[in-house]
Amino acid sequence: YMKNIVILPLASFNDDKKKLCTICIKRLEKCVKIFNKFKGDNVKICLSGGFGKHFNPTNETHSILQEKYLIEKLNFSKKNIDKGKTGSFEKITNTVEEAISLHNEMTCENSIFSTADLIIIVTSPFHFERSVYLMQKSHSKVKDSNKPAQLLMIRSNSIPIKSNFNDGGIDFLNPLIPKKDQKDLWFYYQDKLSNRQEEALIKYEAHGLNILKNEPFGIWQDFLEKN
């Protein structure tokens, strides 16, 4: 019997009309399914995601848009939704910051993460290996006299891939990037790592830093050194 359970869907993106992408919806649906297995006031879904021109160009945080979707579309109770105590989850713009925020919450005295017996993190199959690396690393850095929560990583359902990529109907692609620049994305959304993610993980293991120039691996290295 687990006393306190926190379910964390990793953030994805939404368009400028505040519509969540299919990736995000699949993660939220999986979280509700997991919640329904346990139920009770001791089980919370915690949301994350801030602003960013490529993943959320609106005036509301990604976590607020997720909260509205949970309540309005999935009939989920607001009382079982949490945002953490440190405020860092609501500012994240990528998975590296999300992993660091997990550590912040687990080491924050008043956070549901610090009193949790089990933390369940939900992400997509294509994103899974990279997320496991980051979240487990962050979790392992929690030094506490109390035993930290058990960490469980779960895949959300795959996205159905459409074979005709000229029909304009791929609603999970980033609407801010022209379709012609997204023609190979179908590969990234299957149940395997993209070449770029594989390359990143190999470099993670080899160096622990400096993986790709356009990602914030400096802050990850700082985090590893400080903790």
Side-chain angles (χ1 to χ4, degrees):
Y1 173 70
M2 292 287 180
K3 285 183 281 191
N4 298 312
I5 299 168
V6 184
I7 308 164
L8 173 68
L10 297 188
S12 186
F13 57 82
N14 53 266
D15 67 14
D16 54 357
K17 306 283 194 299
K18 303 187 178 180
K19 182 188 175 191
L20 297 178
C21 67
T22 310
I23 295 168
C24 185
I25 291 167
K26 292 284 182 194
R27 293 177 188 178
L28 293 178
E29 287 173 347
K30 177 63 86 173
C31 288
V32 171
K33 203 171 177 183
I34 294 166
F35 175 88
N36 288 335
K37 282 185 178 175
F38 296 102
K39 289 196 170 166
D41 293 337
N42 59 322
V43 187
K44 307 283 186 194
I45 291 179
C46 183
L47 301 172
S48 74
F51 300 103
K53 66 178 182 175
H54 292 304
F55 78 93
N56 177 20
T58 75
N59 61 354
E60 291 186 289
T61 64
H62 183 66
S63 51
I64 285 173
L65 298 179
Q66 289 181 87
E67 179 176 16
K68 287 180 175 176
Y69 191 91
L70 278 171
I71 294 167
E72 295 165 14
K73 304 287 188 187
L74 300 178
N75 299 314
F76 194 75
S77 171
K78 188 178 173 71
K79 70 174 185 173
N80 290 104
I81 297 173
D82 201 277
K83 303 276 178 62
K85 274 286 187 287
T86 65
S88 55
F89 273 133
E90 292 175 277
K91 294 174 186 159
I92 70 107
T93 63
N94 54 64
T95 317
V96 169
E97 290 174 3
E98 219 159 10
I100 294 170
S101 294
L102 173 66
H103 183 274
N104 292 344
E105 290 293 333
M106 288 188 73
T107 52
C108 173
E109 197 176 321
N110 300 317
S111 172
I112 57 169
F113 285 83
S114 65
T115 56
D117 299 294
L118 176 65
I119 297 169
I120 301 172
I121 295 176
V122 175
T123 193
S124 308
F126 76 92
H127 191 237
F128 191 73
E129 301 300 332
R130 180 168 182 264
S131 301
V132 166
Y133 171 82
L134 289 166
M135 299 300 160
Q136 285 184 346
K137 202 78 160 173
S138 176
H139 178 264
S140 72
K141 294 285 179 188
V142 177
K143 301 179 183 75
D144 198 339
S145 55
N146 299 321
K147 191 181 172 194
Q150 182 187 345
L151 188 70
L152 182 62
M153 301 283 299
I154 290 182
R155 293 172 176 84
S156 60
N157 291 351
S158 301
I159 293 167
I161 304 299
K162 296 178 184 178
S163 58
N164 177 7
F165 288 93
N166 299 314
D167 65 359
I170 308 170
D171 64 355
F172 61 84
L173 298 186
N174 189 330
L176 300 179
I177 300 173
K179 282 213 168 46
K180 66 180 173 60
D181 296 332
Q182 304 188 64
K183 60 184 183 298
D184 297 323
L185 268 187
W186 65 272
F187 178 79
Y188 297 6
Y189 291 92
Q190 296 185 84
D191 288 14
K192 53 188 164 188
L193 288 175
S194 68
N195 294 336
R196 178 177 171 277
Q197 289 172 319
E198 279 184 0
E199 181 190 344
L201 282 167
I202 290 163
K203 288 183 181 174
Y204 257 140
E205 297 302 339
H207 309 291
L209 75 159
N210 230 1
I211 300 172
L212 294 166
K213 278 184 285 188
N214 62 342
E215 297 229 23
F217 296 103
I219 65 162
W220 181 243
Q221 186 61 15
D222 290 345
F223 167 72
L224 293 180
E225 286 172 358
K226 283 176 189 165
N227 297 286

